[in-house]
Amino acid sequence: MERERSPVVFGVLGPVSAGLQESPIALKGPRHRAVLARLIVARRRVVPVDRLVADLWADSPPKGAVGAVQTFVADLRRALEPDRPPRAPARLLVTEGPGYALRAEPDAVDAWRFETAVGEAAKLPPARALPRLDGALELWRGPAYADFAHEEWVRGERARLAELRLRSVERRADAQLALGLAAEAVPDLDAHLTDHPWREDAWRLLALALYRTGRQGDALAVLRRARSTLVEQLGLDPGPGLRRLEADILAQDPALGAAAKTATETAGPTETASRLWTQAAAAYDRTVAAGARARLETTVSLLRDLAVTGGGGLTAAREHRMAAVAAAEEFGDPALTGRVIGAFDVPAIWTRGDDPQLARQIVAAAERTLAALPPPGGTASYDAYDAVRCRLLATVAVETRGSHSARGPQAAGQAEAIARRLDDPALLAFALNGVFMQSFTRAGLAPRRAEIGAELVELSARRGLATFEVLGRLILLQAYCALGDFASADTHAAAADRLADRHERPLVGVFTRWYGALRLSASGDLAGARSAYESAAADLPQAGMPGLTHGLLPLALLSLHFADGPRVPPRDAIDPAADWGPYRPWITPLAALATDDRATARTALRALPEPARDLLYEACCCLEATAALELGDDAVLTRVRERLLPASAELAGAGSGLLTLGPVAGYLTAMSAALRN
């Protein structure tokens, strides 16, 4: 008996998307997504074809607009119901009367699930309402229907959902206050009001939360700020709720401190953990002296945990990391400084740093600390510094990623040797991360990286180092992509996703979603890959990884034009104004060739440096080779061919796990033929 397929699910609380069995569905171009979004807005009702035409082409529909809509619908049907037999009637996107309707299940659209959850939460006691609201708000990936923010047909629905979301944030804070979680409510309400300063109820809740945490002065200051905002910017006096609260705070009305007496008994695990964190942090703040060294080591541990959450957490960790190092150096104790620097052992998978200036500062501090430590060897007392020395060397190896300096590989080798001698699994995992980051000294080293990834997985799984096991899985994904073994890459992608879900590592999904787009590209589904790349790129700005983000989407889309080998892409495939990031030098000759400006192309080609030693080294070499083949530049061809020869069995760029320009062998064959001629 054929197994029943899971229903299609749709996302509109952010960029419009569709998925089947937890896999994204490629929706081709923006018009296809617009048709889908318009039908979702209609909530299972029929949308006439002429209405779709008017909405898709607000100014002047082209002559073939109706036919185009029919094509869009046919494409969507194939994507949404891939197993539907030919000529069988559609069950999901149906034709009815003068138009079309999307007969999605009530729980198939994230916005509908959100509304249901919020409605149910309104009828529940605070202890049960809070997790329901948490789950509802987690469905939001960005503004509703983010792709179509300026379309008239979705304006009312976007406004309605946005208002419901704002009310839900405030209802969640209300539930927290009822459960005695005032301290936990403060930061979320503060952030909420930063973006929405006209919400009177949010001002009331924030002031009440501050009062209940013993911050009466701050509560009154918030009420004054609310009055100033409303009067000066809107010309409105505060409502009776805010005025009454101010009077009650000044009178220290006992009723203001009331909260649910049974909060401890009725709270779920989320609330319990949150309360425990608040209480423990307060106890730590009272107990550990403000200038204690222990505070620095605790701080950097928090920054490490913050970094693996991605997004704002990763950004905040970068902002405070060097300050912690500088504070440690002020004590004049190199062992303490070494522990603070080396405790930030956040696994790194992408070979371009997010903040090069910070990386240089960290490396300089690590080198200063290494020089200040007692020299290795001599007496047994020096062994106490080996673990610190190992972490410092691993830090140098990780933070000098992508450079042509000999120091990075040297530091990686030294860190690995110390970690193996000490037989410390956590040290060895961090050292192997440095070894991985320095495994790009030439092209064609995917097999070596596969060995590193396999050891990391085995070591981490055995010793419970979940974060480094994720790193090992992603390294293996990349290495097997480079070797064209996508079945093995699929296995490690799935394992990485399972680990990420279990251990709350959201950044993993960034890489596995891009891998999904690469898989479509490698299989020849270029249209699906384009859509998948665009969808995956929508999450990058929130990931907190500018070293990955800059230039990646244009490069990925350009790579689709290399499916048939080294040919200069057409003019419309290379937008000179796009954010090419660090890859622009290798794009410039191709952009000039696309406009037949051979003189500029030749000058740009001959000015190219050797690419950064990173995951896209081979890809940049192949872009260089493509321009050199078109220009017949034997000197460049000879140089690039020598670089690429060790990677003859690999797919160019696929070692990134994100994109590919096809087999390196094809470029080598073309270059050899050109040089013979």
Side-chain angles (χ1 to χ4, degrees), residues 155-206:
R155 185 168 298 169
E157 180 71 356
R158 292 182 80 247
R160 187 183 68 80
L161 287 169
E163 174 60 26
L164 187 58
R165 179 176 181 270
L166 296 179
R167 288 207 305 270
S168 300
V169 171
E170 291 156 12
R171 287 177 183 172
R172 178 180 180 275
D174 210 3
Q176 287 177 307
L177 290 174
L179 292 167
L181 302 173
E184 290 85 337
V186 169
D188 288 340
L189 283 168
D190 208 11
H192 177 62
L193 281 163
T194 298
D195 294 329
H196 310 284
W198 326 125
R199 309 284 298 184
E200 276 202 56
D201 205 42
W203 286 112
R204 179 187 67 79
L205 289 164
L206 177 57

Short mmCIF file of all heavy atoms in Angstrom, two decimals, residues 155-206:
data_model
loop_
_atom_site.label_atom_id
_atom_site.label_comp_id
_atom_site.label_asym_id
_atom_site.label_seq_id
_atom_site.Cartn_x
_atom_site.Cartn_y
_atom_site.Cartn_z
N ARG A 155 -2.22 44.42 1.55
CA ARG A 155 -1.98 45.43 2.59
C ARG A 155 -2.87 45.22 3.81
O ARG A 155 -2.42 45.24 4.95
CB ARG A 155 -2.20 46.82 2.00
CG ARG A 155 -1.85 47.95 2.97
CD ARG A 155 -1.81 49.27 2.25
NE ARG A 155 -0.76 49.26 1.22
CZ ARG A 155 -0.63 50.20 0.30
NH1 ARG A 155 -1.49 51.21 0.24
NH2 ARG A 155 0.35 50.13 -0.59
N GLY A 156 -4.15 45.00 3.59
CA GLY A 156 -5.07 44.82 4.72
C GLY A 156 -4.74 43.58 5.54
O GLY A 156 -4.78 43.61 6.78
N GLU A 157 -4.40 42.47 4.87
CA GLU A 157 -4.07 41.23 5.58
C GLU A 157 -2.77 41.39 6.37
O GLU A 157 -2.66 40.91 7.50
CB GLU A 157 -3.94 40.09 4.57
CG GLU A 157 -3.60 38.74 5.19
CD GLU A 157 -4.74 38.14 5.99
OE1 GLU A 157 -5.79 38.81 6.14
OE2 GLU A 157 -4.58 37.02 6.49
N ARG A 158 -1.79 42.08 5.80
CA ARG A 158 -0.53 42.30 6.52
C ARG A 158 -0.78 43.15 7.76
O ARG A 158 -0.23 42.86 8.84
CB ARG A 158 0.50 42.99 5.62
CG ARG A 158 0.99 42.13 4.48
CD ARG A 158 2.07 42.85 3.65
NE ARG A 158 3.37 42.78 4.31
CZ ARG A 158 4.03 43.81 4.81
NH1 ARG A 158 3.49 45.01 4.75
NH2 ARG A 158 5.20 43.65 5.37
N ALA A 159 -1.59 44.19 7.62
CA ALA A 159 -1.88 45.06 8.77
C ALA A 159 -2.62 44.29 9.86
O ALA A 159 -2.32 44.45 11.06
CB ALA A 159 -2.70 46.26 8.31
N ARG A 160 -3.57 43.45 9.45
CA ARG A 160 -4.35 42.68 10.44
C ARG A 160 -3.45 41.71 11.20
O ARG A 160 -3.52 41.61 12.43
CB ARG A 160 -5.46 41.92 9.72
CG ARG A 160 -6.45 41.22 10.65
CD ARG A 160 -7.48 40.45 9.84
NE ARG A 160 -6.85 39.32 9.16
CZ ARG A 160 -6.56 38.17 9.74
NH1 ARG A 160 -6.82 37.98 11.02
NH2 ARG A 160 -5.99 37.19 9.06
N LEU A 161 -2.59 40.99 10.48
CA LEU A 161 -1.70 40.04 11.13
C LEU A 161 -0.67 40.75 12.01
O LEU A 161 -0.34 40.27 13.10
CB LEU A 161 -0.98 39.20 10.07
CG LEU A 161 -1.85 38.15 9.36
CD1 LEU A 161 -1.10 37.58 8.16
CD2 LEU A 161 -2.24 37.03 10.32
N ALA A 162 -0.17 41.89 11.55
CA ALA A 162 0.80 42.64 12.35
C ALA A 162 0.18 43.10 13.66
O ALA A 162 0.81 43.01 14.73
CB ALA A 162 1.33 43.83 11.55
N GLU A 163 -1.06 43.58 13.60
CA GLU A 163 -1.73 44.02 14.82
C GLU A 163 -1.96 42.85 15.77
O GLU A 163 -1.77 42.96 16.99
CB GLU A 163 -3.06 44.68 14.47
CG GLU A 163 -3.93 45.05 15.66
CD GLU A 163 -3.27 46.04 16.61
OE1 GLU A 163 -2.39 46.82 16.16
OE2 GLU A 163 -3.63 46.05 17.81
N LEU A 164 -2.35 41.71 15.22
CA LEU A 164 -2.58 40.53 16.05
C LEU A 164 -1.27 40.09 16.72
O LEU A 164 -1.27 39.65 17.88
CB LEU A 164 -3.16 39.41 15.20
CG LEU A 164 -3.62 38.15 15.95
CD1 LEU A 164 -4.68 38.50 16.98
CD2 LEU A 164 -4.18 37.13 14.96
N ARG A 165 -0.17 40.19 15.98
CA ARG A 165 1.13 39.82 16.56
C ARG A 165 1.49 40.76 17.70
O ARG A 165 1.97 40.32 18.76
CB ARG A 165 2.21 39.87 15.49
CG ARG A 165 3.60 39.53 15.99
CD ARG A 165 4.60 39.50 14.85
NE ARG A 165 5.93 39.16 15.32
CZ ARG A 165 6.83 40.05 15.74
NH1 ARG A 165 6.52 41.34 15.71
NH2 ARG A 165 8.02 39.66 16.16
N LEU A 166 1.27 42.07 17.52
CA LEU A 166 1.60 43.02 18.58
C LEU A 166 0.76 42.75 19.83
O LEU A 166 1.28 42.78 20.95
CB LEU A 166 1.36 44.45 18.08
CG LEU A 166 2.24 44.92 16.91
CD1 LEU A 166 1.87 46.34 16.51
CD2 LEU A 166 3.71 44.84 17.28
N ARG A 167 -0.52 42.47 19.64
CA ARG A 167 -1.37 42.16 20.79
C ARG A 167 -0.90 40.87 21.47
O ARG A 167 -0.97 40.75 22.69
CB ARG A 167 -2.83 42.01 20.35
CG ARG A 167 -3.49 43.32 19.97
CD ARG A 167 -5.00 43.27 20.19
NE ARG A 167 -5.62 42.15 19.48
CZ ARG A 167 -6.08 42.20 18.25
NH1 ARG A 167 -5.98 43.34 17.55
NH2 ARG A 167 -6.64 41.15 17.68
N SER A 168 -0.41 39.93 20.68
CA SER A 168 0.05 38.66 21.25
C SER A 168 1.30 38.86 22.10
O SER A 168 1.46 38.21 23.14
CB SER A 168 0.33 37.65 20.13
OG SER A 168 -0.84 37.41 19.38
N VAL A 169 2.20 39.73 21.65
CA VAL A 169 3.39 40.03 22.46
C VAL A 169 2.96 40.60 23.81
O VAL A 169 3.51 40.24 24.86
CB VAL A 169 4.30 41.02 21.71
CG1 VAL A 169 5.42 41.52 22.61
CG2 VAL A 169 4.89 40.37 20.46
N GLU A 170 1.97 41.48 23.80
CA GLU A 170 1.51 42.10 25.05
C GLU A 170 0.74 41.10 25.91
O GLU A 170 0.87 41.10 27.14
CB GLU A 170 0.66 43.32 24.71
CG GLU A 170 1.52 44.45 24.12
CD GLU A 170 0.74 45.43 23.25
OE1 GLU A 170 -0.51 45.39 23.27
OE2 GLU A 170 1.38 46.24 22.54
N ARG A 171 -0.04 40.20 25.28
CA ARG A 171 -0.73 39.17 26.05
C ARG A 171 0.29 38.22 26.70
O ARG A 171 0.08 37.75 27.82
CB ARG A 171 -1.66 38.37 25.14
CG ARG A 171 -2.91 39.14 24.73
CD ARG A 171 -3.74 38.31 23.77
NE ARG A 171 -4.91 39.04 23.30
CZ ARG A 171 -5.72 38.60 22.34
NH1 ARG A 171 -5.48 37.44 21.76
NH2 ARG A 171 -6.78 39.32 21.97
N ARG A 172 1.36 37.94 25.97
CA ARG A 172 2.40 37.08 26.54
C ARG A 172 3.02 37.74 27.77
O ARG A 172 3.24 37.08 28.80
CB ARG A 172 3.48 36.82 25.48
CG ARG A 172 4.64 35.98 25.96
CD ARG A 172 5.65 35.78 24.84
NE ARG A 172 6.78 34.97 25.28
CZ ARG A 172 7.85 35.45 25.90
NH1 ARG A 172 7.94 36.75 26.12
NH2 ARG A 172 8.82 34.64 26.27
N ALA A 173 3.31 39.03 27.69
CA ALA A 173 3.86 39.74 28.85
C ALA A 173 2.88 39.75 30.01
O ALA A 173 3.27 39.60 31.18
CB ALA A 173 4.22 41.18 28.45
N ASP A 174 1.60 39.90 29.71
CA ASP A 174 0.56 39.87 30.74
C ASP A 174 0.58 38.52 31.46
O ASP A 174 0.47 38.45 32.69
CB ASP A 174 -0.80 40.12 30.09
CG ASP A 174 -1.77 40.80 31.06
OD1 ASP A 174 -1.36 41.13 32.18
OD2 ASP A 174 -2.93 41.01 30.67
N ALA A 175 0.72 37.44 30.67
CA ALA A 175 0.76 36.10 31.27
C ALA A 175 2.01 35.94 32.13
O ALA A 175 1.95 35.34 33.22
CB ALA A 175 0.73 35.05 30.17
N GLN A 176 3.13 36.48 31.68
CA GLN A 176 4.35 36.39 32.49
C GLN A 176 4.18 37.11 33.82
O GLN A 176 4.60 36.60 34.87
CB GLN A 176 5.52 37.00 31.72
CG GLN A 176 6.02 36.15 30.56
CD GLN A 176 7.13 36.83 29.78
OE1 GLN A 176 6.97 37.97 29.34
NE2 GLN A 176 8.24 36.14 29.59
N LEU A 177 3.56 38.28 33.78
CA LEU A 177 3.33 39.01 35.03
C LEU A 177 2.42 38.23 35.96
O LEU A 177 2.64 38.16 37.17
CB LEU A 177 2.73 40.38 34.74
CG LEU A 177 3.67 41.39 34.06
CD1 LEU A 177 2.92 42.66 33.70
CD2 LEU A 177 4.83 41.72 34.98
N ALA A 178 1.40 37.60 35.41
CA ALA A 178 0.48 36.81 36.23
C ALA A 178 1.18 35.62 36.87
O ALA A 178 0.77 35.16 37.94
CB ALA A 178 -0.70 36.34 35.38
N LEU A 179 2.23 35.13 36.23
CA LEU A 179 2.96 33.96 36.73
C LEU A 179 4.16 34.34 37.59
O LEU A 179 4.96 33.48 37.96
CB LEU A 179 3.42 33.10 35.56
CG LEU A 179 2.30 32.41 34.77
CD1 LEU A 179 2.84 31.85 33.47
CD2 LEU A 179 1.69 31.30 35.61
N GLY A 180 4.32 35.63 37.88
CA GLY A 180 5.45 36.05 38.70
C GLY A 180 6.75 36.14 37.94
O GLY A 180 7.83 36.08 38.53
N LEU A 181 6.69 36.28 36.61
CA LEU A 181 7.89 36.32 35.78
C LEU A 181 8.14 37.75 35.28
O LEU A 181 8.41 37.98 34.11
CB LEU A 181 7.74 35.37 34.59
CG LEU A 181 7.49 33.90 34.95
CD1 LEU A 181 7.18 33.09 33.69
CD2 LEU A 181 8.71 33.32 35.65
N ALA A 182 8.06 38.71 36.19
CA ALA A 182 8.19 40.11 35.80
C ALA A 182 9.56 40.40 35.19
O ALA A 182 9.66 41.11 34.18
CB ALA A 182 7.94 41.02 37.00
N ALA A 183 10.63 39.87 35.78
CA ALA A 183 11.97 40.16 35.27
C ALA A 183 12.14 39.66 33.84
O ALA A 183 12.79 40.29 33.01
CB ALA A 183 13.02 39.52 36.18
N GLU A 184 11.53 38.50 33.54
CA GLU A 184 11.64 37.94 32.20
C GLU A 184 10.86 38.77 31.18
O GLU A 184 11.20 38.79 29.99
CB GLU A 184 11.12 36.50 32.19
CG GLU A 184 11.99 35.51 32.92
CD GLU A 184 11.70 35.46 34.42
OE1 GLU A 184 11.15 36.44 34.95
OE2 GLU A 184 12.01 34.43 35.04
N ALA A 185 9.82 39.46 31.62
CA ALA A 185 8.99 40.25 30.71
C ALA A 185 9.66 41.55 30.29
O ALA A 185 9.38 42.08 29.21
CB ALA A 185 7.64 40.55 31.34
N VAL A 186 10.55 42.09 31.12
CA VAL A 186 11.10 43.43 30.88
C VAL A 186 11.85 43.55 29.55
O VAL A 186 11.55 44.44 28.75
CB VAL A 186 12.00 43.86 32.06
CG1 VAL A 186 12.79 45.13 31.72
CG2 VAL A 186 11.15 44.10 33.31
N PRO A 187 12.85 42.70 29.26
CA PRO A 187 13.61 42.93 28.01
C PRO A 187 12.76 42.81 26.75
O PRO A 187 12.94 43.57 25.80
CB PRO A 187 14.70 41.84 28.05
CG PRO A 187 14.24 40.85 29.06
CD PRO A 187 13.41 41.58 30.04
N ASP A 188 11.80 41.87 26.74
CA ASP A 188 10.96 41.73 25.55
C ASP A 188 10.05 42.93 25.37
O ASP A 188 9.83 43.40 24.24
CB ASP A 188 10.12 40.45 25.64
CG ASP A 188 10.97 39.19 25.47
OD1 ASP A 188 12.08 39.32 24.91
OD2 ASP A 188 10.53 38.11 25.89
N LEU A 189 9.51 43.44 26.45
CA LEU A 189 8.65 44.62 26.35
C LEU A 189 9.46 45.85 25.92
O LEU A 189 8.98 46.68 25.13
CB LEU A 189 7.96 44.89 27.69
CG LEU A 189 6.78 43.98 28.02
CD1 LEU A 189 6.38 44.14 29.49
CD2 LEU A 189 5.59 44.29 27.11
N ASP A 190 10.66 45.96 26.45
CA ASP A 190 11.52 47.10 26.07
C ASP A 190 11.80 47.07 24.57
O ASP A 190 11.70 48.09 23.88
CB ASP A 190 12.82 47.02 26.86
CG ASP A 190 13.44 48.38 27.09
OD1 ASP A 190 12.77 49.39 26.82
OD2 ASP A 190 14.60 48.44 27.51
N ALA A 191 12.14 45.89 24.04
CA ALA A 191 12.39 45.76 22.60
C ALA A 191 11.12 46.02 21.80
O ALA A 191 11.15 46.65 20.74
CB ALA A 191 12.92 44.36 22.30
N HIS A 192 10.00 45.55 22.30
CA HIS A 192 8.70 45.74 21.64
C HIS A 192 8.40 47.23 21.50
O HIS A 192 7.97 47.70 20.44
CB HIS A 192 7.64 45.02 22.49
CG HIS A 192 6.23 45.16 22.01
ND1 HIS A 192 5.81 44.71 20.79
CD2 HIS A 192 5.14 45.70 22.60
CE1 HIS A 192 4.51 44.95 20.64
NE2 HIS A 192 4.09 45.55 21.73
N LEU A 193 8.64 48.00 22.55
CA LEU A 193 8.33 49.42 22.52
C LEU A 193 9.32 50.21 21.67
O LEU A 193 8.98 51.29 21.17
CB LEU A 193 8.30 49.98 23.95
CG LEU A 193 7.00 49.67 24.70
CD1 LEU A 193 7.18 49.86 26.19
CD2 LEU A 193 5.88 50.57 24.18
N THR A 194 10.52 49.71 21.51
CA THR A 194 11.48 50.39 20.64
C THR A 194 10.94 50.50 19.22
O THR A 194 11.09 51.52 18.55
CB THR A 194 12.82 49.62 20.63
OG1 THR A 194 13.35 49.62 21.96
CG2 THR A 194 13.81 50.27 19.69
N ASP A 195 10.28 49.44 18.77
CA ASP A 195 9.73 49.43 17.42
C ASP A 195 8.30 49.95 17.35
O ASP A 195 7.84 50.37 16.28
CB ASP A 195 9.76 47.99 16.86
CG ASP A 195 11.17 47.48 16.66
OD1 ASP A 195 12.06 48.31 16.38
OD2 ASP A 195 11.39 46.26 16.80
N HIS A 196 7.59 49.93 18.48
CA HIS A 196 6.16 50.30 18.47
C HIS A 196 5.86 51.20 19.67
O HIS A 196 5.17 50.81 20.61
CB HIS A 196 5.29 49.05 18.50
CG HIS A 196 5.68 48.02 17.48
ND1 HIS A 196 5.36 48.16 16.14
CD2 HIS A 196 6.38 46.86 17.60
CE1 HIS A 196 5.84 47.12 15.49
NE2 HIS A 196 6.47 46.33 16.33
N PRO A 197 6.37 52.44 19.65
CA PRO A 197 6.28 53.29 20.85
C PRO A 197 4.88 53.85 21.11
O PRO A 197 4.70 54.58 22.08
CB PRO A 197 7.27 54.43 20.52
CG PRO A 197 7.29 54.49 19.04
CD PRO A 197 7.13 53.08 18.57
N TRP A 198 3.90 53.52 20.27
CA TRP A 198 2.57 54.08 20.47
C TRP A 198 1.64 53.11 21.22
O TRP A 198 0.46 53.38 21.37
CB TRP A 198 1.92 54.45 19.14
CG TRP A 198 2.89 54.93 18.10
CD1 TRP A 198 3.06 54.43 16.85
CD2 TRP A 198 3.81 56.02 18.23
NE1 TRP A 198 4.05 55.11 16.19
CE2 TRP A 198 4.53 56.11 17.01
CE3 TRP A 198 4.12 56.92 19.24
CZ2 TRP A 198 5.52 57.05 16.79
CZ3 TRP A 198 5.11 57.87 19.02
CH2 TRP A 198 5.79 57.93 17.81
N ARG A 199 2.17 51.99 21.67
CA ARG A 199 1.34 50.96 22.30
C ARG A 199 1.20 51.26 23.79
O ARG A 199 2.07 50.93 24.61
CB ARG A 199 1.96 49.58 22.10
CG ARG A 199 2.33 49.22 20.68
CD ARG A 199 1.16 48.88 19.84
NE ARG A 199 0.44 47.69 20.32
CZ ARG A 199 -0.59 47.18 19.66
NH1 ARG A 199 -1.03 47.74 18.53
NH2 ARG A 199 -1.21 46.11 20.13
N GLU A 200 0.09 51.87 24.18
CA GLU A 200 -0.11 52.28 25.57
C GLU A 200 -0.09 51.09 26.52
O GLU A 200 0.47 51.16 27.62
CB GLU A 200 -1.44 53.03 25.71
CG GLU A 200 -1.34 54.50 25.36
CD GLU A 200 -2.45 55.32 25.99
OE1 GLU A 200 -2.62 55.28 27.22
OE2 GLU A 200 -3.15 56.01 25.24
N ASP A 201 -0.70 49.98 26.10
CA ASP A 201 -0.74 48.84 27.01
C ASP A 201 0.64 48.27 27.25
O ASP A 201 0.94 47.76 28.33
CB ASP A 201 -1.68 47.76 26.46
CG ASP A 201 -2.23 46.87 27.57
OD1 ASP A 201 -2.59 47.41 28.64
OD2 ASP A 201 -2.28 45.65 27.38
N ALA A 202 1.51 48.36 26.23
CA ALA A 202 2.87 47.89 26.41
C ALA A 202 3.63 48.76 27.41
O ALA A 202 4.41 48.25 28.23
CB ALA A 202 3.59 47.86 25.06
N TRP A 203 3.42 50.07 27.36
CA TRP A 203 4.04 50.96 28.35
C TRP A 203 3.57 50.57 29.76
O TRP A 203 4.36 50.50 30.71
CB TRP A 203 3.67 52.41 28.07
CG TRP A 203 4.35 53.05 26.90
CD1 TRP A 203 3.77 53.43 25.73
CD2 TRP A 203 5.74 53.38 26.78
NE1 TRP A 203 4.70 53.99 24.89
CE2 TRP A 203 5.91 53.98 25.50
CE3 TRP A 203 6.84 53.24 27.62
CZ2 TRP A 203 7.16 54.42 25.05
CZ3 TRP A 203 8.08 53.70 27.18
CH2 TRP A 203 8.23 54.27 25.91
N ARG A 204 2.25 50.32 29.89
CA ARG A 204 1.70 49.95 31.20
C ARG A 204 2.34 48.66 31.71
O ARG A 204 2.76 48.57 32.88
CB ARG A 204 0.18 49.78 31.09
CG ARG A 204 -0.50 49.37 32.39
CD ARG A 204 -1.97 49.07 32.18
NE ARG A 204 -2.16 47.89 31.35
CZ ARG A 204 -2.06 46.64 31.80
NH1 ARG A 204 -1.75 46.40 33.06
NH2 ARG A 204 -2.26 45.62 30.98
N LEU A 205 2.43 47.67 30.84
CA LEU A 205 2.98 46.39 31.25
C LEU A 205 4.46 46.50 31.62
O LEU A 205 4.92 45.88 32.59
CB LEU A 205 2.80 45.36 30.12
CG LEU A 205 1.37 44.90 29.87
CD1 LEU A 205 1.27 44.21 28.51
CD2 LEU A 205 0.91 43.96 30.98
N LEU A 206 5.23 47.30 30.86
CA LEU A 206 6.65 47.46 31.16
C LEU A 206 6.84 48.14 32.52
O LEU A 206 7.67 47.71 33.33
CB LEU A 206 7.33 48.26 30.06
CG LEU A 206 8.82 48.57 30.29
CD1 LEU A 206 9.63 47.28 30.48
CD2 LEU A 206 9.39 49.38 29.12
#
